[in-house]
Each structure stands twice: as structure tokens, then as C-alpha cells.
Amino acid sequence: MVCWNSLKVVELVEGDPIKNVLYVDLTRRRYWIEERNDLFQKYIGGSGVAIKLLLEECRRGVDPLSPENPIVFAVGPLNCVFPMASKTVAMFKSPLTGNLGESHAGGRSGIALRSAGLGALVIRGASDTPIYLSIYDGKASFRDARVLWGMRSSYTVGRVIREREPKAGLRTIMRIGRAGERMVRYACVITETYRHFGRLGLGAVFGSKKLKALAIAGTNNIKVKDIKAYKELYQEIFKSEITAPALKKYHDIGTPMNVMPLNKLQALPAYNLKSASLDGAEQISGENLARNYLGRRVACGHCPVSCIHLAALREPYEKEPYFYKTTMISYDYEPIYALGSMLGITSPEGLLKLIDEVEVAGLDAMSCGVALAWATEAVEKSVVSSGPDGTIVNLRWGDYNAYIKAVEYIVEQPNEFYKALAHGVEYAATKYGGLEYALTFGGNEMPGYHTGPAAHIGYLTGARHSHLDSAGYSLDQKILASKGEPTPTSVANTLFEEEAWRQILSSLVVCFFAREIYKPEVVQKALKVVGWDLSLEDMKKIGYEILALKHEFKRREGFKADALRIPKRILETPTPFGRLDEAFIRDAVKEYFARLPRSTNQP
Amino acid sequence: MFACSRRFGSAGLGKTAILIRSAGGIERGFVVQVCRACEDPPCAAVCPTDALKLRSGGGVLLEAARCIGCRLCVDACTVDAVLWDDESDKPMICVHCGLCVQACPYGVLELSKGG
Ligand code: SF4
Ligand code: SF4
Ligand code: SF4
């Protein structure tokens, strides 16, 4: 076991506003700033600082939808300084899993928070009437949001706030849709219309606080240690970003470039993972969408890649000839998987309409798609119609109109069945039956990769139960390419090291798509420019420590590694490695958790 | 925007003289707010202290010592190209150096005469 108690304490650059933590108390409508050098000096920023703040702010056992659950946002020293350091980390207690809630988003959020002169933002309490917060240069205002509450579309909410608030071009506007207001456990927070704090239910936590939106901006300067070294390193990083072939692909086709290779590999979950490939997948592939629907590409603030793809969907009005409505709909691999292949939808237009509906409501696309997929199979197997109130739900693979209706029901929760579904798949399947094909890991709905053992071991062990925690899907594909012979130990160790390193990336906070550019040596140089003088060894220790702290929070809130459920379905449908062996997965999970300290050494 | 700030020796967005904002929501695309180097610049005309001097080739140069921070130039510019530096409490005036042009990977910006 690794021992990592003594972390290096760095000296922050004089005048760097990152040490400022803005505390907002929604109950008393007060705010104040505290200088928390102690946190940033040791835990850098982003995930590192956020988990410390969460442990401080969130008492053991609080109801995630009560005023006592805090919301923490944190940025890091590289935001606003180096390109592709565009992200913000959000932490809270998850209303979906009951333990660690963490999600990351870009848009302009990272830039705006750092420019507002903040390193982190802590939101406590709850308002009794709907409000939104605007935060400029560290000053917060509580604004009435009663008129915005209940508005059908999250797009409209964004538009109204855009017109009421100043600082266009410098601000982030985060908001929830009706799903958040109605506390669907996997409601998301939308930022700049097309980016999301998607996973684990931050939108529901906003809703429980009657917090409709946040507008944040500022024009703080950020001082660097050595301007000459800064400019040189900036050019170096920037150049590698605009010349990297992998990033060019993200620009050209975007994340949906994965659809075809995964389908060919038989690793694309379809029909609630009854199959690992989809007939007609090319119709919803990145190539086809780019060719026939791509209307615009956009980027997060301070990113030269612009991987965000917006489809222009042109729909004729039924009654009037030559009259069209054009909607811009953002698509990515994840919604294509969850709302497309998982539901057997191969019509690009049907898929885009469904994605749009999910965006209008403000739901996490992945959890929503997996919930609908589970519900479809439950209907197929007549599990649901035998539910307590005899609910009849007409869901059929590929029928996107029915799914659009169902999204509305998840938000409105008109009956017991949809109330249960709004709690997540684990909850609904526990109530109605059908756990064998309930695709959840630690309570979180499955991401879109059935590539092999590492992907699933990653979902089980990851602190967020996300494919991005330790990228098992990528490890599987590497093993396949090299014809390697994985063992539970080798898989557990590789995933552990990857997840620990990613704690550093998400403390900076850089986009994970830039991970090949922000190698440890580059990160070390970049941190030095902004005053964090850390050795590679120091960084490694901090990464382990952050990961251990996350698990400390999880354990404290009742997470039990040995009680993790492995959905039967993943063992039935062959992966590119063939059928998965349950004992292999269990062993690897055990080995992974053995690497964490029983109780973290608090320094 | 970041390239512009870097030119002035700082990271972040406090020192940019060019602003990119959405045209009312990202779905509608973007607008670039930048000085177009007027030959007869209204910003200079309204300046009460003559802090904005005509620049050869168009546009203006800021003589910071004279500027009293009254913001009249901000209102005078028809294309909203005078941004503000909160730190010095003076306008950010584009110097037409072209660093932003070099920084754009997609050839959106161009430094040229006329147009
Ligand atoms: S690569 Fe995509 S997600 Fe990452 S910062 Fe750039 S635009 Fe945002
Ligand atoms: S700042 Fe505006 S008014 Fe002044 S020269 Fe530039 S474009 Fe013309
Ligand atoms: S802010 Fe300065 S430059 Fe602008 S008009 Fe006033 S004195 Fe002149």
C-alpha cells in the first residue's frame, strides 16, 4: 500500500485570486469571501480543493435534497492561463447514488469563475422562493426567478438571463430545466446551452434549493511567475493542440467518431445491451451526422479544438408549405449511445428530436437513455404492467415519438412508475423487478462502452462510476490491439494509476481530451509558471490523496465496495473479449480497493 | 482574447482589447468586437483630455497619463470596440499588432487595410 501523508505546501503567486472561496448562503441571503490558501497550497484546485470543501461542508448522512447538502464549484490554477484548461468541477452529495456527486463541465464556466476572482464557490442552504444568482468579480446578487420557474424549455431560461445580465462574452450562465426543478435524480445543470454538469444529479440539488441559475463573470487579471517562460510554454502547448491528429478528429467529427469503430468491434451497447452492435448504426454515426446535419462547431472557452458539434435540424410545418423550423441540437457520442443505440433508434432525425427534448427538460442524457432502455425491456417482459398501479407504458425499440413522450413523463411523474423511474434505474428495478438487466454501477447508469473487462471494472471502481474516471474502455482497446493477456491485478493497477493521475488533471482543471498533451512533465512545467513548484513525485502523491479522500467521503456516506452489484446482462452479452468472467471482475475490484487506505491519514 | 492579454504580460481576460461573444446564444454563432481602425475616429473626438491620439494607418493610441477614466470613448465607439481595464481603470485600446490573428487556428481573423 502506498503511504502518502506529507503533501508539499506551495507558495501561491502574490495576488493570484485563486485562494478566494466565495460562500453563498441561500437561506440567509448572505455571501462572503474567505481566503483559503491552505486548500490551494496543498490540493491545487478543482477536484482536490472541491473534495476537501465537500468533506468540510457536508455533514455525514444528510439528505442530498435537503438544504444541508452543499454545492461546491472549483477551478484550478491553469484555467484562464493555458489552452484547454477549460473545465470546472462540481461536487455535492449525489441524490442518485447517495454518495459522492462529482461532475465536470466546460463551456465558459472555468474561465468565468477564475476571471471572477474565485478559486471556488460554495453554495449552502436553500431559498424559499425561486432565485438565480449573479456573481460579478466576487460580488453576489440574489435575483428573483419566480417567472423562470416552470418554464418549459431550458433554452428559454438561458435566453432570458442572457438578455437581463451584463458581460456578454465573458460570462457563464448555468441553469436547470424542469427536470431539476422537479428533482429528477439525474437532472443536469446546463451551461452555455450545450455543455453539462451531466452526471449524478446536480440539477436536482439546484432544484431542491430553488436555485434556477447562476450567472458568473469577471475581468480579473491573472499574474504568472515568469512571463517569458509562460509565453514560450503557451506556444508549445498551443502548437501541440492544433497539430495533434487525435484532436483534429475531435474537431472534424467530434466524439461520435466512436460510433462506427465500436459498432464494428461489437462493443456498442444496443437495445439495453441485449446486443453489442446495432443494425443501421452508420445512420447515427458521426460521419453521417457531420455530412447531413452539421450546422456549426463550437468550443469551450480557451480551447482551439472545438469538439462540440451542433446539428441543424430543419423540420417542415405540417400545415404550411415551404415553412420550416430550424433547431440547433448538440450531439456527442454519449447521447447517441444512450438515446440512440440503446433504444434501437437509427433515424437521425428521430434521435436529434429526442436529444433536443432531453436538453429542453435538462436531464442527464446517459442516465435518461439507460432508464428508458431498461423500461422498454421491462415492458417487453411484462414486468411493468404488473406494477403496483398497473401502469401501461407503450415503449417499443426505435419508437422515438414514444420516447419523447416518456421524457415528458419522467419530468412530470404522473404515476408511480414514472416516479420510480425519476429515481434512477436501480431504484425502479428494485421496486418492479428486472435487476438482471438494470445497467447501473454503484447506482449510476452505464456509459456507452462494452469493450471488455476493464471498462466494467472501471465503472464499478471509479469514484464517480463514470467511464472517464479511469478510462477502462481505452485500456480494453489497448489490450486488444496488443493482444495482451490481462489479469485482475494488471487491470486493477492500471485503472488505479490512471484514476489517480486524472485527479491532477481535474484539479488544474484541463479537459480530459487534452490528456495526451498535458503529460506529467508538461503539467509540472505549466504549474511552475503559475507558482506551484511540484516534483513529479509530489504530484503523484497529491493524486493518490485526492482519490483516497473521495473514497473516504463515499465510505462515510455508506458506499460498500463488497456490496457492488454486477448487472447480469454484462456477463451475458459477449464483448470483444468474449463473455466476461464474473470472478475476474470481482477479483480486480477487490484488488483495486485494496490499494486504498482503510481510513485516510488526515494531515 | 487570451492572446491579447498575453501581449500585455498577463494571463486571463483582464487585458483584452478584443471581445468574442455569442450573437444571442451560441446557436446563432459569434460576433467579434474589435477596433476597425477608423480614419476619423469618434472615440478620439469625444476624449476631453486628448488622451487618444490618431495613429498613422488608422485607429488611436492611448496616452495613459492623460486619461482620466471618464469612459466617454466607450460610448462613442459605434462598434463597441473600446473595452475596459478594471485594474488601471482606463480603456483597453487595440494596437493592431495582429497577435490575435496568429492565435486563431481557423483563419477567422485578418489584419488588413480597408474592409
Ligand atoms: S476539446 Fe471539446 S470539451 Fe474539451 S475543452 Fe475543447 S471544446 Fe471543450
Ligand atoms: S475604438 Fe472604435 S471609434 Fe475608436 S478607432 Fe477603433 S473602431 Fe474607431
Ligand atoms: S476614458 Fe480616457 S481615453 Fe477614454 S475618453 Fe475618457 S479620458 Fe479619453
Side-chain angles (χ1 to χ4, degrees):
Chain A
M1 197 195 294
V2 209
C3 183
W4 52 78
N5 25 30
S6 56
L7 296 187
K8 174 153 183 202
V9 179
V10 303
E11 278 306 313
L12 305 185
V13 172
E14 175 88 17
D16 189 333
I18 197 155
K19 58 185 180 293
N20 295 332
V21 176
L22 177 68
Y23 291 82
V24 178
D25 182 336
L26 297 178
T27 310
R28 295 185 303 144
R29 303 216 171 179
R30 296 246 177 91
Y31 72 89
W32 65 96
I33 284 183
E34 285 177 30
E35 293 193 1
R36 297 298 307 267
N37 300 47
D38 57 320
L39 298 180
F40 291 90
Q41 286 174 312
K42 267 185 153 172
Y43 299 96
I44 305 178
S47 287
V49 165
I51 186 60
K52 286 298 283 184
L53 284 167
L54 184 67
L55 282 161
E56 277 177 19
E57 293 287 321
C58 184
R59 267 197 316 113
R60 179 197 303 264
V62 304
D63 174 351
L65 296 177
S66 73
E68 284 189 273
N69 189 13
I71 298 171
V72 177
F73 288 101
V75 289
L78 299 199
N79 290 113
C80 269
V81 179
F82 286 104
M84 289 185 87
S86 311
K87 302 266 166 171
T88 303
V89 170
M91 273 200 213
F92 47 98
K93 181 170 173 178
S94 165
L96 183 64
T97 64
N99 56 67
L100 180 71
E102 176 183 0
S103 55
H104 305 169
R108 262 188 232 117
S109 60
I111 306 302
L113 269 158
R114 185 106 161 85
S115 296
L118 300 176
L121 165 64
V122 173
I123 301 175
R124 291 180 183 163
S127 172
D128 46 4
T129 56
I131 55 164
Y132 75 91
L133 279 178
S134 55
I135 297 173
Y136 300 118
D137 288 318
K139 294 193 188 65
S141 314
F142 300 82
R143 305 219 203 264
D144 193 333
R146 281 175 297 183
V147 178
L148 302 175
W149 205 256
M151 225 171 228
R152 192 185 121 70
S153 169
S154 66
Y155 292 96
T156 318
V157 174
R159 203 201 64 222
V160 172
I161 297 179
R162 219 155 38 224
E163 282 165 16
R164 281 176 61 84
E165 295 293 323
K167 310 252 184 200
L170 297 170
R171 65 192 175 187
T172 186
I173 300 176
M174 303 177 190
R175 63 269 192 179
I176 56 169
R178 273 178 317 134
E181 293 175 8
R182 302 185 61 83
M183 292 178 265
V184 177
R185 304 276 167 146
Y186 41 91
C188 72
V189 171
I190 303 163
T191 183
E192 283 63 84
T193 316
Y194 300 116
R195 299 277 91 189
H196 310 92
F197 293 94
R199 310 234 65 193
L200 298 170
L202 181 60
V205 182
F206 266 57
S208 73
K209 297 186 174 317
K210 293 245 168 26
L211 177 61
K212 185 68 188 174
L214 287 174
I216 305 171
T219 48
N220 256 269
N221 249 334
I222 291 147
K223 305 243 169 12
V224 296
K225 262 229 148 113
D226 173 351
I227 184 75
K228 190 162 162 274
Y230 169 49
K231 286 186 179 172
E232 275 169 25
L233 185 59
Y234 189 102
Q235 281 317 323
E236 203 180 294
I237 292 176
F238 185 74
K239 209 167 146 219
S240 38
E241 286 172 355
I242 54 176
T243 51
L247 292 181
K248 170 133 193 351
K249 271 199 186 160
Y250 279 122
H251 173 76
D252 290 346
I253 302 188
T255 52
M257 69 189 172
N258 286 324
V259 174
M260 291 320 283
L262 287 171
N263 191 53
K264 190 158 163 244
L265 202 60
Q266 307 261 318
L268 175 72
Y271 306 101
N272 202 34
L273 195 58
K274 287 201 283 186
S275 162
S277 66
L278 177 73
D279 277 340
E282 54 296 326
Q283 292 186 66
I284 54 168
S285 68
E287 290 79 357
N288 192 46
L289 290 171
R291 215 176 296 122
N292 295 311
Y293 297 92
L294 183 59
R296 173 165 283 138
R297 286 189 193 91
V298 290
C300 298
H302 212 176
C303 170
V305 175
S306 67
C307 75
I308 308 162
H309 287 57
L310 308 183
L313 181 65
R314 188 160 168 260
E315 293 169 89
Y317 279 83
E318 266 166 37
K319 298 202 179 83
E320 248 182 286
Y322 308 115
F323 198 53
Y324 301 93
K325 172 178 137 195
T326 305
T327 322
M328 299 297 268
I329 302 162
S330 137
Y331 61 91
D332 256 305
Y333 173 69
E334 275 70 27
I336 294 178
Y337 139 72
L339 300 168
S341 70
M342 274 295 257
L343 304 179
I345 296 176
T346 51
S347 150
E349 301 199 353
L351 170 62
L352 289 170
K353 282 193 218 168
L354 179 58
I355 293 178
D356 194 47
E357 190 63 25
V358 169
E359 182 89 39
V360 161
L363 286 161
D364 174 44
M366 264 188 274
S367 287
C368 179
V370 174
L372 292 173
W374 172 83
T376 311
E377 189 164 345
V379 169
E380 208 173 49
K381 297 201 156 70
S382 308
V383 169
V384 171
S385 49
S386 64
D389 63 349
T391 321
I392 297 158
V393 195
N394 229 340
L395 297 172
R396 275 174 302 123
W397 306 115
D399 182 354
Y400 52 84
N401 286 317
Y403 289 124
I404 288 172
K405 196 88 213 132
V407 169
E408 181 59 33
Y409 285 162
I410 289 176
V411 175
E412 289 300 326
Q413 301 159 47
N415 57 39
E416 285 304 313
F417 175 70
Y418 280 101
K419 268 195 194 103
L421 207 54
H423 270 74
V425 171
E426 185 102 6
Y427 181 94
T430 307
K431 180 165 176 167
Y432 288 90
L435 268 173
E436 318 81 73
Y437 51 88
L439 291 164
T440 59
F441 296 81
N444 191 18
E445 284 77 15
M446 177 182 164
Y449 305 87
H450 189 52
T451 45
H456 292 288
I457 295 161
Y459 308 153
L460 289 162
T461 55
R464 304 184 285 152
H465 306 286
S466 153
H467 61 298
L468 292 174
D469 285 330
S470 51
Y473 63 97
S474 151
L475 177 58
D476 281 330
Q477 293 177 62
K478 274 184 206 146
I479 298 172
L480 282 173
S482 66
K483 301 205 168 59
E485 288 280 333
T487 65
T489 315
S490 71
V491 171
N493 282 335
T494 313
L495 293 178
F496 187 88
E497 292 299 333
E498 180 67 25
E499 188 167 0
W501 168 244
R502 285 183 178 216
Q503 305 313 310
I504 298 296
L505 295 178
S506 63
S507 296
L508 299 172
V509 181
V510 303
C511 174
F512 284 161
F513 293 160
R515 62 183 175 271
E516 293 303 325
I517 287 159
Y518 287 94
K519 297 259 191 227
E521 295 72 24
V522 175
V523 169
Q524 190 194 13
K525 277 202 250 172
L527 274 174
K528 197 157 181 194
V529 165
V530 281
W532 274 254
D533 197 352
L534 297 168
S535 69
L536 295 179
E537 198 50 37
D538 291 330
M539 290 197 298
K540 213 168 170 175
K541 271 203 228 164
I542 300 171
Y544 288 143
E545 170 82 9
I546 297 171
L547 188 54
L549 287 171
K550 286 186 182 177
H551 281 283
E552 181 182 313
F553 182 82
K554 285 175 79 79
R555 264 200 309 274
R556 203 190 78 179
E557 299 306 322
F559 172 78
K560 288 196 181 63
D562 35 10
L564 277 168
R565 182 179 69 86
I566 300 178
K568 280 233 172 55
R569 175 59 46 82
I570 70 162
L571 306 171
E572 292 161 1
T573 303
T575 71
F577 288 80
R579 278 186 194 231
L580 296 180
D581 170 18
E582 183 166 358
F584 184 104
I585 297 177
R586 290 242 175 257
D587 287 348
V589 168
K590 214 184 241 156
E591 299 240 10
Y592 183 100
F593 285 101
R595 293 203 50 180
L596 286 162
R598 273 285 116 212
S599 79
T600 311
N601 301 312
Q602 286 283 5
Chain B
M1 291 165 75
F2 288 100
C4 190
S5 278
R6 266 199 313 289
R7 176 184 166 280
F8 296 100
S10 100
L13 293 174
K15 304 254 181 229
T16 179
I18 176 171
L19 179 73
I20 317 294
R21 61 171 176 85
S22 77
I26 292 169
E27 60 271 36
R28 306 225 182 121
F30 292 89
V31 174
V32 180
Q33 278 172 229
V34 70
C35 173
R36 55 186 311 279
C38 306
E39 273 168 28
D40 183 10
C43 59
V46 298
C47 178
T49 64
D50 264 340
L52 294 172
K53 300 275 186 254
L54 298 192
R55 172 182 171 273
S56 68
V60 291
L61 297 168
L62 175 72
E63 210 176 292
R66 299 181 86 111
C67 170
I68 54 168
C70 70
R71 293 186 191 242
L72 285 175
C73 52
V74 175
D75 294 334
C77 174
T78 320
V79 293
D80 291 333
V82 179
L83 303 182
W84 203 255
D85 174 11
D86 290 326
E87 196 179 52
S88 63
D89 205 25
K90 293 192 176 10
M92 283 305 308
I93 298 288
C94 170
V95 297
H96 305 280
C97 65
L99 275 182
C100 53
V101 179
Q102 287 164 32
C104 174
Y106 300 113
V108 173
L109 305 172
E110 192 189 22
L111 189 66
S112 72
K113 287 210 162 130

